[in-house]
Amino acid sequence: MITPSKGKLIVISAPSGTGKTSIVKALTQRTKNLTVSVSTTTRKPRPGEVEGSDYFFVNKKSFEILKDQGEFIEWAKVYGNHYGTSEKWIINKIKSGNNILLEIDWQGAQQIKNKFKNSENLVTIFLKPPSLDELYNRLKERGKDSDETIKKRVSLASSDLEHSKEFQHVIINKDFLTTLLKIENIIFN
Ligand code: 5GP
């Protein structure tokens, strides 16, 4: 177990299929005091996804209401669905000294960067797939989305990649363990 210094806000972004979710899962299992924010989304649950653990799943109308009520510290439309992070949850966690991990897209990362401009505790990481072909293969292997959705996500990934330069750290996810160790090194050193 690693015991990091308290109160960091870590943003990890990556095109869908880069392996971000597995990395984040391993990070939380190996690290004390690291909590992943659970986002709210209008996307339909994938097989095996759990309400309140993977996401809070809501319909478009409910999302709009939450957004208008100022519930989200950041929100974005990604691959046709809406996603948002609860402001109250983040602020409470940070205040009580927790390390928070946000698994969000580059649009959300931009909003977080603006809100935490002067914070030394903000760490931003972009994970890249080794190539777009590799990304397509990984999404196919995952087998959770239709071919049409996969093609859409791969074509959008190339524009996502252009935003990698807005992040403090860029890592190419060739090998799971190497990537994990690199991220731990960035976060805790
Ligand atoms: P997925 O549908 O594959 O779970 O996620 C699709 C994309 O939405 C991923 O890039 C993921 O990081 C992003 N995402 C998930 N939650 C949020 C959020 O709360 N805000 C933003 N801006 N992006 C999110």
Side-chain angles (χ1 to χ4, degrees):
M1 277 278 181
I2 299 155
T3 311
S5 59
K6 283 188 172 183
K8 285 197 177 160
L9 181 60
I10 302 140
V11 174
I12 300 191
S13 294
S16 179
T18 306
K20 179 182 45 167
T21 306
S22 321
I23 292 282
V24 166
K25 199 170 162 204
L27 272 173
T28 53
Q29 281 167 353
R30 287 159 57 95
T31 313
K32 262 190 199 166
N33 186 20
L34 180 66
T35 313
V36 184
S37 164
V38 178
S39 300
T40 299
T41 184
T42 60
R43 172 167 73 62
K44 296 269 177 292
R46 294 193 184 113
E49 282 186 331
V50 177
E51 164 74 17
S53 166
D54 293 293
Y55 283 105
F56 296 106
F57 296 98
V58 296
N59 61 28
K60 281 190 184 137
K61 196 168 171 216
S62 304
F63 190 95
E64 284 303 313
I65 293 170
L66 290 168
K67 192 179 87 184
D68 293 345
Q69 285 172 345
E71 173 69 21
F72 301 129
I73 194 163
E74 67 74 34
W75 70 272
K77 190 174 175 191
V78 191
Y79 312 127
N81 299 302
H82 288 81
Y83 298 84
T85 303
S86 162
E87 170 148 8
K88 222 183 283 163
W89 187 88
I90 295 282
I91 301 299
N92 285 342
K93 287 280 178 191
I94 290 177
K95 274 191 190 152
S96 47
N98 290 274
N99 295 294
I100 308 297
L101 202 151
L102 302 186
E103 201 186 327
I104 59 177
D105 87 316
W106 62 266
Q107 304 170 82
Q110 280 185 348
Q111 296 166 51
I112 294 291
K113 265 170 66 179
N114 280 335
K115 293 208 166 125
F116 291 86
K117 239 179 230 144
N118 301 318
S119 172
E120 285 176 4
N121 286 349
L122 177 64
V123 180
T124 60
I125 300 170
F126 192 93
L127 266 189
K128 275 184 170 181
S131 68
L132 290 178
D133 283 349
E134 179 72 28
L135 189 69
Y136 177 83
N137 292 338
R138 285 185 189 176
L139 286 168
K140 269 290 209 200
E141 274 165 29
R142 186 166 79 177
K144 290 195 173 171
D145 294 298
S146 68
D147 200 48
E148 192 195 329
T149 302
I150 292 175
K151 286 194 175 128
K152 197 162 101 187
R153 287 194 171 206
V154 172
S155 77
L156 287 169
S158 54
S159 58
D160 286 350
L161 293 176
E162 287 171 23
H163 291 275
S164 60
K165 51 183 178 290
E166 297 160 13
F167 290 72
Q168 294 164 334
H169 306 275
V170 178
I171 298 172
I172 299 172
N173 186 21
K174 282 198 201 109
D175 166 73
F176 182 81
L177 192 58
T178 311
T179 300
L180 187 61
L181 296 178
K182 277 186 187 164
I183 295 180
E184 286 180 347
N185 197 37
I186 289 169
I187 298 176
F188 304 120
N189 290 312

